[in-house]
Amino acid sequence: MRTYGILALAASLVTASAQALQGFNYGSVFTNNAPITGGEYERLFNTAKQLAGTSGAFTSARLFTTIQAGTPNLPTEAIAAADATQTKLLLGIFLSSTEEQFQNELTALRSAIAQYGQRLVDLVIGISVGSEDLYRISPTGILNRSNPGEGPDAVVRRINAVRQALAGTILSGAPIGHVDTWTAYVNSSNAAVISACDFIGVDAYPYFQNTQANSIENGESLFFAAYDATVAVSQGKPVWITETGWPVSGPTENQAVPSTQNAETYWDSVGCRVFGQINTFWYTLQDAFPNAPSPSFGVVGSTLSTTPLYDLTCPSDSESPSSSAGSPSPSSPVAPPAGISDSPPDRETSTTPAPESPGSNSGSPGSNSGATGSNSGSPGSNSGSGSNGGSGSNGGSSGSNNDGSGSAPVENTVPPTVKTVMTYVTVTTCPVTYTSGVEMKTSMTTSTVSVTSTHGNTLSTVASPPSTPSPSSAPGACPANLNGDFEFPHLIVPVDKNQPDAALGTSFNGLITPTVSSLFNFDFPASLQGRTCSLVFLFPTRDQLQTSNYTLSGSGGFLVERLNEPADSTTSFNNQPEVNVTVNTIPSVQPGNSYVLGSGGCFSNVRIGYKVSATGSLDLDYFQDYNPAPIGLYVTITATIVAHPAAMNALKKVKNAMFPPPAYSEDGRAQWPSRTSFLLASMGGAMGFGNMLRYPSQVYNNNGLQWFIPYLMAITCLAIPLLILEIAIGQAHRSGTVISFNALDNRLRGVGLSMVFTGYCICVYYVPLLSWVWVYFRNSFQAAPFAWTGRAEDFFYNDVVIQKAKVEGEISGGSVQSYSTYPNTAVSGELIGWTILSWLIVWLCINKGVSITGRVVYFTIGLPIIMTVALLGRAVSLDNAGRGIKLYFGEWHSDKLAGGKIWQEATGQVFYSTGVGFGYFTAYASYNSQFASAVQDSIIICVSNAAYEVVAAFIAFGVVGFMNMMPEEGGEELGTYSLGFLTYPVAIDQMPGAPFWAIVFFLTLILLGISSSYAMLDGLVTVLCDSEYGRKHKHVTVASFCTVVSCLLSFMFCTEFGYDLLNATDRWANNIALLFAAFCECYGSTTVYRWVDVVGQVGWPAFGTYNFGYLGGLIMGCAIAHSVSAEAGAGAGFGLFIVCTIIALFIARTPDSLAPRFFGKHALLQRFWWLAFYQGNQLRRDLNITVAVGKNWSIPWPWAICLRYIGAPVLGIIFSFSYPAFTPDRSDSLEVWGFFVAHCVVFVAIAGFLLPRFLNILVPTERRGEGTRGYAPQVILGSDDIRVSRGVENGDQDSSGLESGSDKGFDEKVDTTMDKMGK
């Protein structure tokens, strides 16, 4: 019989006590986020000591942070309470944070040493550095969208930093350890953390092991198996129990039913066996004050009392942990496998959980750690993305990639072909080896015993049906260990043909039954190139297993197939990847065997998916585990070098370059090949005709250095904030615009769709516009004179766009008497041809997703930049070029700044050329690393875009000087088309070497136009691929469909009325659709986001009055400005806003959640902060949880102010100019058409706000509830809408948003919101 905890029994005893300590976990705030003060801590500690039935044994406390909630770095008042009540303390240091916040923890600790001196030494039994950080950074934790954690190296580094900080102090001798899930400890990748500790704290919750038989009857065996597994890898270090418990109320998790009776049973069977034997900190004394979470683990209820909810008296026959009583047998089906979750996907939150999706695991309960102002909160749970929402012991591969965080990043390049390799389908038993005698080949030619593999690899070959096994002459190794390097499957996804549309999520178990197959993803890093890999299935007997288990019934074997692409957490039976080739068939599966399914040259730098299906009546359910006894599917690696035929290798390289397989991030989403490719693709979307043609024409019309004042202000206050918003939400929520804005609030779905609609409308006519450039490009190859020589206007209007006269409409008496007609409707064959070619190029750039887009951008952006430099050199060397450049940089006209024209045009230029509002930045960011530096990337993209157009303008002004053009007051202005298709061609015609410069110039325009076109189309493709219906289809299918439809729609612009139609569509798509979509972005993200919190704090009347003043003032001000005067409009608009603000302040309730800094000093200031700044600032804090990880730049506090009080009003004012401009053209039928299409965007945004359910088709079922939030004021939300508790935001210390250090996962959807609002 196995025993539990023998090694730790004596080692866990504290030197200051003859008996191990008992205590509870304590957070820093109550469930309403109110900080726990010293007096309240004292009452809690005294209650714990006096609990009926415990004989005064609970004299210790575990704290999650050393910082007092609501302060930057003051010591927790729990220390004073412990000193007064003589309660021993296990101090906590929050680890997964910025260096500044970690230093705040150390500052608080040093201050406590100085304040309490020797008394602190007498109280502290240990210091825990971090809590479950290893779990959160594991592939499983990342897969389940956990908040950022730290890898083993970072944990060790900060443990050492704490030791160094305490060196020479009176606490230098205090034991220092780390707390994590037991599954993290059994991962050998994390052994260095154990080595660095004096003790280790383990968290284990059978209640949350909902993929196991986790009824209360099995709770004891599950817990002690977890504890035993931790002791086995503890290197002789004491193992303390830092969290465990059973809930008294909450949801049922598989077989685990919360109740006071079951909580008492768990206390008796687990607690009473460890109390007095092992240092134990139970979860928890009280978690239901003032609100009860779900699940609730409190020993006492909402009223603090020494009378517990159930009997805490330990039975007299309670056994010690070293007893075998209650231990499962080695073959017991309830033995918990290493890696099954005892913790949620994220542990950093504080409120009650939302209802979970089927198959997901609740998280473990928790108070919380945290730096400044962190909350404890109540226990809760998180929905996981798979059947197990928690951590896994098998977070990374071992051997060459033994880093605890998975194998090295893969780029999914096709591996080289290997020569014929002689291998055998091998079955190994102990001690005799059997082989089937079947020869497997890996040549690229077919034969009777092999199947051609796309990768030419024996892991993808198929053998003939195996013959009857015969004994081999050489004994084989037992399947009880993995020798050498190996790869662990980094994703396991079951699919059930009885539930064909159900995405069952990720799992830690391999389930192989007649109806259920399991899909396995393996990462093959680049370092494996040239080595030999074997796909093996290891199946020990139960007595060889220690932390894993399996159930086996029926007879038969399984079929192994390689898939065309990897699976992800959304894969179902119906949308699973297609089978590429059969690997092998095992006719019979029996315990005690290992099966070599194939062997040959390793794949390299690629992620491969395999499918394992049952044959016969086999029913196998096992937990995939490699430590200490391996079971399941693995890839083993040897050092054998495989030959590479040069010719086939070259072909594969060409294929890989042209059609690279996609790379995938840990959550299964496609990923950019590199950060550079993301930046270049984003810049390609921004850089286009707006930079090369529109910007120079705008500067020419407003010539002089004064242009740069409004231009730079617009970049700083409008473009960069909007770009940060679009990139940050796409990156945080891992989806296109519709789902990302739905995650902000479900009523903002329409905003996301309106952005994509706008980009798509522009894309449809942008490609035909490219056909004009193709015509010029074709004519550039002829020797001068060109086709446009001496007839530039005639060539453009008659030969290129083929514009025909229209029959004018009539306006009389203020109303339209007749509409204009366009009798000429013929189609231009050449424009159709060039349009089709352009769409084909666009399709080639996006058909395989970001894997191919991330490569072509080096050409579509890199080459235009090179050619722009060449054109710049030519332009500035032209005769009289200096005269034109002087107009650009050598003049100053301060009087122009007094007028509105330059401000309006500079703002419009920045907005149009940056590319915000089209949706593709959000789409592109969703394929970025979730924790990339969004702020830094946004600034790089925006500044690079501005720098390009500023430099490119020198080309235009060199030409202006060369052509002796001068802007005249009241004269004809330079336009985008006139510059690109009239001025430039005429100038090039007069240059030496004109054909060369014509080719360079027009090729530059083509490449810039192509990169902008595929970016805008990609925004739509991403939205469709992410939708409920679209994700059932391959990316290439969706991209092909969108391209074909777009191509057909664009033919209307290749007609004789196409030029006028394009102008009308372009005019209103930009002036109405784009401006309105961007306005909704700015306003919605800072006004609709988390509105429940504001209403709960100040009330509906105040919230409605303030926002009526904001919107009403803007609308009324613009209306009066256009009808009376700008001054009158400004006065009326600001007047209404100020009056409504004052009224709102006086009718608002006084918030009970303190505003930061200056605003917290007076009731009116608090109300104003909640009305005016809370929502934007809270969005910033929530996004910083994801985008400000580590050394990433955080979103600064002025960002939200720029969006709401600069960006939105400016966009609204510019938008208002559209209606007066439409009035004189309302008799033109095409202008009316463009005006109508633009208003479809307005309709989509408004309809989505009023009736969000009509856009459900674009949001997967499991994500529709993300934007529906409960009341949680100032509680930070993680990247997947998981809450991270943080108390009062005192001093706005969240420079990166990571100071919120709850150590437990909560996903609250509180049903008491309306009660709160009704106060």
Side-chain angles (χ1 to χ4, degrees):
M1 299 294 288
R2 295 167 57 193
T3 61
Y4 295 100
I6 297 176
L7 293 176
L9 184 57
S12 297
L13 300 181
V14 182
T15 56
S17 176
Q19 190 177 39
L21 298 175
Q22 297 168 220
F24 292 102
N25 288 268
Y26 298 90
S28 58
V29 299
F30 293 111
T31 56
N32 64 350
N33 297 325
I36 303 177
T37 63
E40 289 160 339
Y41 274 120
E42 191 169 333
R43 286 190 291 275
L44 288 167
F45 293 164
N46 280 328
T47 300
K49 284 186 173 185
Q50 299 166 20
L51 276 175
T54 63
S55 303
F58 282 82
T59 58
S60 302
R62 178 192 173 210
L63 306 178
F64 292 93
T65 177
T66 309
I67 300 175
Q68 174 62 25
T71 72
N73 50 25
L74 296 181
T76 174
E77 294 176 14
I79 298 176
D83 186 32
T85 59
Q86 288 304 292
T87 298
K88 300 296 184 182
L89 293 177
L90 172 56
L91 293 178
I93 300 290
F94 186 61
L95 190 151
S96 296
S97 59
T98 63
E99 182 61 29
E100 178 183 357
Q101 292 160 335
F102 178 69
Q103 292 300 325
N104 282 340
E105 290 276 0
L106 296 183
T107 299
L109 183 57
R110 295 189 190 99
S111 298
I113 294 172
Q115 182 176 349
Y116 297 100
Q118 183 60 41
R119 288 180 295 158
L120 184 64
V121 178
D122 297 336
L123 295 173
V124 173
I125 61 172
I127 299 173
S128 169
V129 182
S131 182
E132 299 190 10
D133 308 275
L134 298 175
Y135 155 68
R136 289 195 300 271
I137 202 63
S138 69
T140 310
I142 296 173
L143 181 66
N144 287 312
R145 298 182 180 181
S146 299
N147 284 327
E150 295 287 358
D153 292 342
V155 174
V156 171
R157 183 170 62 253
R158 290 198 164 170
I159 289 174
N160 292 335
V162 173
R163 290 191 190 278
Q164 184 177 0
L166 295 180
T169 71
I170 56 177
L171 272 185
S172 59
I176 297 176
H178 174 72
V179 172
D180 227 299
T181 60
W182 66 275
T183 54
Y185 291 126
V186 297
N187 185 342
S188 58
S189 301
N190 299 322
V193 174
I194 300 175
S195 300
C197 292
D198 299 319
F199 70 92
I200 58 175
V202 61
D203 296 349
Y205 289 92
Y207 167 73
F208 293 110
Q209 293 179 214
N210 60 11
T211 60
Q212 300 295 296
N214 65 334
S215 65
I216 187 60
E217 291 77 14
N218 294 325
E220 177 185 9
S221 58
L222 287 173
F223 171 82
F224 283 113
Y227 183 80
D228 183 45
T230 307
V231 172
V233 297
S234 65
Q235 305 174 18
K237 307 291 178 67
V239 180
W240 299 358
I241 301 168
T242 43
E243 289 182 42
T244 194
W246 195 278
V248 295
S249 64
T252 297
E253 291 291 339
N254 191 22
Q255 299 175 5
V257 179
S259 69
T260 54
Q261 180 180 351
N262 287 345
E264 180 178 348
T265 299
Y266 190 76
W267 177 280
D268 292 342
S269 61
V270 173
C272 291
R273 289 185 57 190
V274 298
F275 294 152
Q277 306 296 322
I278 302 170
N279 284 351
T280 302
F281 298 90
W282 201 259
Y283 193 81
T284 185
L285 176 65
Q286 183 188 44
D287 63 358
F289 177 78
N291 306 310
S294 177
S296 175
F297 284 73
V299 170
V300 300
S302 58
T303 301
L304 192 62
S305 170
T306 58
T307 302
L309 296 175
Y310 50 87
D311 188 2
L312 303 184
T313 305
C314 285
S316 58
D317 59 347
S318 295
E319 301 178 20
S320 72
S322 59
S323 165
S324 62
S327 306
S329 67
S331 62
S332 171
V334 300
I340 287 297
S341 172
D342 292 308
S343 62
D346 185 276
R347 311 265 305 188
E348 301 198 5
T349 58
S350 79
T351 40
T352 317
E356 297 178 3
S357 57
S360 65
N361 253 13
S362 301
S364 62
S367 301
N368 29 325
S369 62
T372 306
S374 58
N375 292 358
S376 63
S378 53
S381 62
N382 300 331
S383 321
S385 61
S387 62
N388 237 334
S391 58
S393 64
N394 309 312
S397 61
S398 86
S400 61
N401 296 296
N402 192 14
D403 61 359
S405 58
S407 57
V410 295
E411 295 185 5
N412 291 330
T413 57
V414 179
T417 306
V418 294
K419 291 183 178 179
T420 301
V421 178
M422 303 291 290
T423 64
Y424 294 88
V425 180
T426 306
V427 182
T428 303
T429 61
C430 298
V432 181
T433 300
Y434 297 91
T435 63
S436 67
V438 177
E439 178 180 349
M440 298 175 63
K441 297 179 183 289
T442 58
S443 65
M444 292 302 293
T445 59
T446 58
S447 69
T448 58
V449 293
S450 68
V451 173
T452 302
S453 163
T454 302
H455 295 288
N457 188 296
T458 52
L459 293 182
S460 306
T461 59
V462 59
S464 304
S467 59
T468 304
S470 58
S472 173
S473 59
C478 295
N481 53 60
L482 285 165
N483 295 318
D485 294 343
F486 66 93
E487 284 293 330
F488 187 89
H490 292 97
L491 196 70
I492 304 176
V493 178
V495 293
D496 189 347
K497 66 181 181 182
N498 287 342
Q499 304 178 67
D501 293 320
L504 303 180
T506 59
S507 176
F508 294 101
N509 283 37
L511 182 59
I512 306 166
T513 75
T515 61
V516 179
S517 302
S518 286
L519 313 184
F520 297 78
N521 286 358
F522 286 92
D523 287 350
F524 294 81
S527 59
L528 296 186
Q529 183 167 352
R531 303 179 72 182
T532 298
C533 288
S534 298
L535 184 65
V536 301
F537 184 80
L538 306 180
F539 195 30
T541 57
R542 284 197 179 95
D543 59 358
Q544 293 174 301
L545 297 173
Q546 296 182 35
T547 59
S548 184
N549 213 328
Y550 61 83
T551 59
L552 175 65
S553 62
S555 62
F558 52 73
L559 170 68
V560 182
E561 301 166 299
R562 183 170 64 80
L563 305 175
N564 275 335
E565 57 188 38
D568 59 38
S569 60
T570 66
T571 299
S572 65
F573 183 85
N574 275 349
N575 69 8
Q576 63 182 307
E578 295 180 1
V579 173
N580 181 286
V581 69
T582 299
V583 176
N584 222 313
T585 301
I586 302 300
S588 177
V589 176
Q590 298 296 330
N593 294 316
S594 65
Y595 303 86
V596 179
L597 305 169
S599 184
C602 293
F603 292 113
S604 174
N605 211 30
V606 67
R607 178 170 294 164
I608 299 294
Y610 291 95
K611 178 180 180 181
V612 181
S613 307
T615 62
S617 61
L618 178 74
D619 191 323
L620 173 63
D621 185 1
Y622 69 90
F623 180 77
Q624 177 92 19
D625 190 16
Y626 71 88
N627 183 27
I631 179 174
L633 196 67
Y634 299 88
V635 172
T636 59
I637 304 154
T638 62
T640 304
I641 303 299
V642 183
H644 294 68
M648 296 307 298
N649 191 36
L651 288 175
K652 287 210 174 274
K653 288 182 177 179
V654 171
K655 177 181 179 295
N656 180 60
M658 294 180 62
F659 301 100
Y664 293 90
S665 58
E666 290 294 345
D667 60 0
R669 190 170 183 81
Q671 187 169 339
W672 291 102
S674 65
R675 182 190 184 193
T676 302
S677 61
F678 162 69
L679 291 173
L680 287 176
S682 299
M683 283 186 247
M687 290 162 52
F689 290 174
N691 304 75
M692 198 73 177
L693 303 179
R694 190 180 192 278
Y695 176 82
S697 64
Q698 293 294 315
V699 180
Y700 176 85
N701 298 332
N702 297 276
N703 65 295
L705 279 172
Q706 75 284 341
W707 161 267
F708 289 97
I709 292 179
Y711 177 73
L712 294 176
M713 290 178 65
I715 289 176
T716 304
C717 299
L718 179 62
I720 292 178
L722 257 176
L723 193 54
I724 290 174
L725 172 67
E726 294 188 9
I727 290 180
I729 63 172
Q731 190 172 296
H733 298 291
R734 315 294 287 150
S735 53
T737 55
V738 174
I739 298 178
S740 291
F741 275 92
N742 171 77
L744 299 187
D745 191 281
N746 65 344
R747 294 189 180 276
L748 295 180
R749 295 174 183 175
V751 175
L753 183 58
S754 68
M755 294 167 62
V756 173
F757 192 171
T758 300
Y760 183 69
C761 289
I762 293 175
C763 180
V764 168
Y765 72 73
Y766 203 85
V767 172
L769 193 155
L770 277 175
S771 65
W772 306 350
V773 186
W774 279 109
V775 174
Y776 279 89
F777 182 69
R778 175 180 63 81
N779 282 279
S780 299
F781 286 89
Q782 69 184 56
F786 295 115
W788 61 81
T789 300
R791 52 184 293 266
E793 289 193 25
D794 178 61
F795 176 76
F796 176 67
Y797 289 109
N798 295 322
D799 295 2
V800 178
V801 301
I802 318 178
Q803 184 186 29
K804 300 297 182 179
K806 64 181 177 180
V807 178
E808 295 286 351
E810 181 183 355
I811 299 176
S812 178
S815 61
V816 177
Q817 301 300 315
S818 64
Y819 289 96
S820 61
T821 59
Y822 293 81
N824 300 292
T825 59
V827 175
S828 168
E830 182 174 12
L831 293 184
I832 289 285
W834 290 123
T835 297
I836 293 174
L837 175 62
S838 298
W839 279 116
L840 177 62
I841 296 173
V842 168
W843 177 82
L844 289 173
C845 292
I846 67 170
N847 73 93
K848 292 290 186 179
V850 294
S851 61
I852 192 169
T853 306
R855 288 166 171 79
V856 300
V857 290
Y858 288 93
F859 175 78
T860 59
I861 297 302
L863 188 57
I865 291 175
I866 294 173
M867 292 190 293
T868 299
V869 173
L871 288 168
L872 176 64
R874 171 70 275 190
V876 299
S877 62
L878 292 171
D879 294 341
N880 294 322
R883 188 167 178 267
I885 294 173
K886 183 179 179 182
L887 292 174
Y888 186 23
F889 260 85
E891 295 184 1
W892 175 266
H893 304 283
S894 57
D895 57 308
K896 293 187 177 183
L897 294 174
K901 177 176 177 290
I902 190 172
W903 293 91
Q904 180 183 348
E905 293 184 350
T907 301
Q909 172 59 33
V910 166
F911 183 73
Y912 298 132
S913 71
T914 303
V916 290
F918 295 119
Y920 57 79
F921 284 122
T922 301
Y924 278 175
S926 72
Y927 302 114
N928 215 357
S929 168
Q930 187 173 19
F931 303 114
S933 183
V935 176
Q936 191 178 62
D937 289 347
S938 301
I939 294 174
I940 290 173
I941 294 167
C942 201
V943 171
S944 299
N945 176 73
Y948 178 80
E949 65 184 10
V950 168
V951 172
F954 279 97
I955 302 173
F957 279 93
V959 169
V960 165
F962 176 66
M963 299 286 292
N964 199 28
M965 298 169 59
M966 288 294 294
E968 298 179 5
E969 189 70 30
E972 184 177 355
E973 294 190 339
L974 191 62
T976 301
Y977 296 158
S978 63
L979 176 62
F981 299 105
L982 300 178
T983 305
Y984 270 128
V986 171
I988 291 173
D989 188 25
Q990 301 176 33
M991 295 180 187
F996 171 78
W997 295 112
I999 292 170
V1000 170
F1001 174 72
F1002 290 114
L1003 181 58
T1004 301
L1005 290 182
I1006 289 171
L1007 292 175
L1008 290 175
I1010 290 292
S1011 63
S1012 295
S1013 300
Y1014 67 64
M1016 287 183 282
L1017 186 61
D1018 240 349
L1020 174 64
V1021 170
T1022 298
V1023 165
L1024 295 180
C1025 286
D1026 288 343
S1027 68
E1028 184 77 36
Y1029 179 77
R1031 64 183 184 176
K1032 298 178 182 178
H1033 301 278
K1034 294 181 179 179
H1035 185 281
V1036 65
T1037 303
V1038 177
S1040 301
F1041 173 78
C1042 291
T1043 304
V1044 171
V1045 171
S1046 304
C1047 183
L1048 295 175
L1049 289 174
S1050 66
F1051 288 166
M1052 71 178 95
F1053 299 102
C1054 301
T1055 60
E1056 291 176 334
F1057 64 88
Y1059 175 78
D1060 298 287
L1061 178 62
L1062 191 151
N1063 270 331
T1065 308
D1066 175 65
R1067 180 185 184 187
W1068 302 117
N1070 282 284
N1071 293 345
I1072 289 181
L1074 181 58
L1075 289 172
F1076 187 80
F1079 170 82
C1080 291
E1081 276 190 82
C1082 295
Y1083 184 71
S1085 62
T1086 56
T1087 305
V1088 179
Y1089 182 69
R1090 298 188 68 170
W1091 60 271
V1092 174
D1093 293 349
V1094 182
V1095 172
Q1097 287 292 307
V1098 299
W1100 265 115
F1103 180 76
T1105 301
Y1106 181 83
N1107 284 286
F1108 173 79
Y1110 181 99
L1111 278 179
L1114 182 60
I1115 294 171
M1116 185 176 73
C1118 290
I1120 294 177
H1122 288 297
S1123 59
V1124 181
S1125 69
E1127 292 78 9
F1134 276 112
L1136 179 60
F1137 175 60
I1138 292 171
V1139 168
C1140 288
T1141 299
I1142 293 172
I1143 295 173
L1145 291 178
F1146 280 98
I1147 66 176
R1149 295 196 303 264
T1150 299
D1152 56 21
S1153 183
L1154 188 64
R1157 293 186 179 180
F1158 167 77
F1159 293 100
K1161 297 179 179 180
H1162 190 276
L1164 285 177
L1165 291 176
Q1166 284 203 66
R1167 297 171 189 173
F1168 180 69
W1169 182 82
W1170 275 95
L1171 288 167
F1173 303 121
Y1174 169 76
Q1175 290 163 282
N1177 187 57
Q1178 196 63 37
L1179 175 61
R1180 175 184 69 87
R1181 299 172 69 211
D1182 292 345
L1183 290 175
N1184 274 338
I1185 283 291
T1186 300
V1187 304
V1189 175
K1191 296 182 180 180
N1192 291 354
W1193 294 358
S1194 61
I1195 302 175
W1197 65 265
W1199 170 77
I1201 297 175
C1202 287
L1203 286 177
R1204 186 169 187 178
Y1205 296 107
I1206 298 178
V1210 167
L1211 291 169
I1213 292 170
I1214 298 176
F1215 173 78
S1216 71
F1217 285 98
S1218 302
Y1219 294 92
F1222 175 71
T1223 302
D1225 296 322
R1226 65 187 186 277
S1227 65
D1228 191 310
S1229 57
L1230 294 185
E1231 293 288 334
V1232 173
W1233 161 256
F1235 197 71
F1236 167 77
V1237 170
H1239 277 82
C1240 290
V1241 172
V1242 178
F1243 171 79
V1244 165
I1246 296 175
F1249 179 83
L1250 298 175
L1251 300 168
R1253 66 181 181 275
F1254 289 128
L1255 297 180
N1256 278 351
I1257 190 175
L1258 297 176
V1259 184
T1261 303
E1262 69 273 11
R1263 302 199 65 176
R1264 290 173 187 169
E1266 290 181 359
T1268 305
R1269 296 186 177 86
Y1271 178 71
Q1274 297 207 61
V1275 176
I1276 296 179
L1277 308 184
S1279 60
D1280 60 340
D1281 204 17
I1282 295 174
R1283 283 169 171 61
V1284 179
S1285 67
R1286 158 113 191 264
V1288 178
E1289 186 184 14
N1290 187 0
D1292 198 24
Q1293 295 296 321
D1294 58 331
S1295 59
S1296 71
L1298 295 179
E1299 77 287 12
S1300 308
S1302 167
D1303 216 24
K1304 294 295 169 190
F1306 304 102
D1307 192 12
E1308 180 184 24
K1309 308 291 180 186
V1310 180
D1311 293 328
T1312 58
T1313 301
M1314 298 311 296
D1315 293 337
K1316 178 70 178 177
M1317 294 177 185
K1319 287 185 180 179

